[in-house]
Amino acid sequence: MPQFSFLEGQPFWVVYATLLVVILLRAPATYWIGRGLGAGVSRSRLGRRLGPRLDAAKRRIDRYGAPVVTLGFFTVGMQTAINLAAGAVRMRFPIYFTAVFIGGLAWAGLWGTVISGLVGTWLVLFLNSPWTALGVIALAALLVTALVLRSRLRRGKDDGAPSEEGEDAGDRVEAA
């Protein structure tokens, strides 16, 4: 993990604590930027036109947004957008920060172990052999695509076929 190279060779707890502090500073900073942008939108002509619909969206975000914020830490490239949106719709900060803290605990553990190992290994491979590293990415993308297609095909077959329970129930109705 090049941006955290100063953590190489440190004990896991130091890496974990550092990453947790980073996320607990970065995510709320993004939230507050979003909150400032959202305040501008609320006072704009668009905000006045949306009026009650915007208020209803804010209530839904307060009620259901915390799991989205927490699960956002398990995505790639969505954390910033989710945190910015939570601020823009003025999600209550205590609820937001609780969700960030829970997601941050998981993110720091995942990034500190699994993800940093994968990214670091791929980076070393890329520096030694860029074409091989790109081949690994292409192979991974192909594998994910094949798994998704296989899952969809199986789901499609299951949807079209009558279930055994349905056949048995029909037989019982005719017999009665």
Side-chain angles (χ1 to χ4, degrees):
M1 58 190 161
Q3 69 269 36
F4 298 114
S5 59
F6 65 94
L7 292 174
E8 287 183 25
Q10 297 295 324
F12 176 74
W13 72 268
V14 171
V15 173
Y16 184 82
T18 302
L19 293 175
L20 185 59
V21 168
V22 165
I23 204 66
L24 293 179
L25 293 174
R26 186 187 77 185
T30 306
Y31 167 89
W32 287 110
I33 291 169
R35 193 145 172 151
L37 293 172
V41 169
S42 294
R43 288 191 295 261
S44 72
R45 194 176 341 161
L46 175 64
R48 286 188 297 272
R49 199 172 341 150
L50 291 174
R53 287 183 283 180
L54 192 56
D55 292 336
K58 289 177 184 181
R59 284 191 300 276
R60 278 195 297 277
I61 292 293
D62 264 344
R63 186 165 184 186
Y64 303 111
V68 173
V69 170
T70 299
L71 294 174
F73 288 96
F74 295 97
T75 65
V76 176
M78 293 298 296
Q79 290 175 28
T80 302
I82 290 169
N83 290 312
L84 194 68
V89 297
R90 302 180 67 83
M91 182 177 184
R92 287 183 291 163
F93 190 74
I95 292 170
Y96 168 79
F97 192 76
T98 301
V100 165
F101 188 74
I102 293 167
L105 289 172
W107 178 86
L110 284 172
W111 186 261
T113 56
V114 178
I115 298 170
S116 66
L118 289 173
V119 170
T121 301
W122 184 85
L123 197 57
V124 168
L125 179 62
F126 182 80
L127 293 174
N128 290 328
S129 175
W131 289 110
T132 304
L134 293 174
V136 167
I137 293 293
L139 186 62
L142 187 64
L143 179 64
V144 168
T145 302
L147 290 173
V148 167
L149 289 175
R150 184 175 130 204
S151 172
R152 287 185 181 177
L153 286 173
R154 282 188 177 176
R155 204 171 342 149
K157 288 180 184 178
D158 292 342
D159 291 343
S163 67
E164 291 179 20
E165 290 178 15
E167 291 172 357
D168 291 344
D171 292 343
R172 278 188 244 132
V173 170
E174 289 176 19

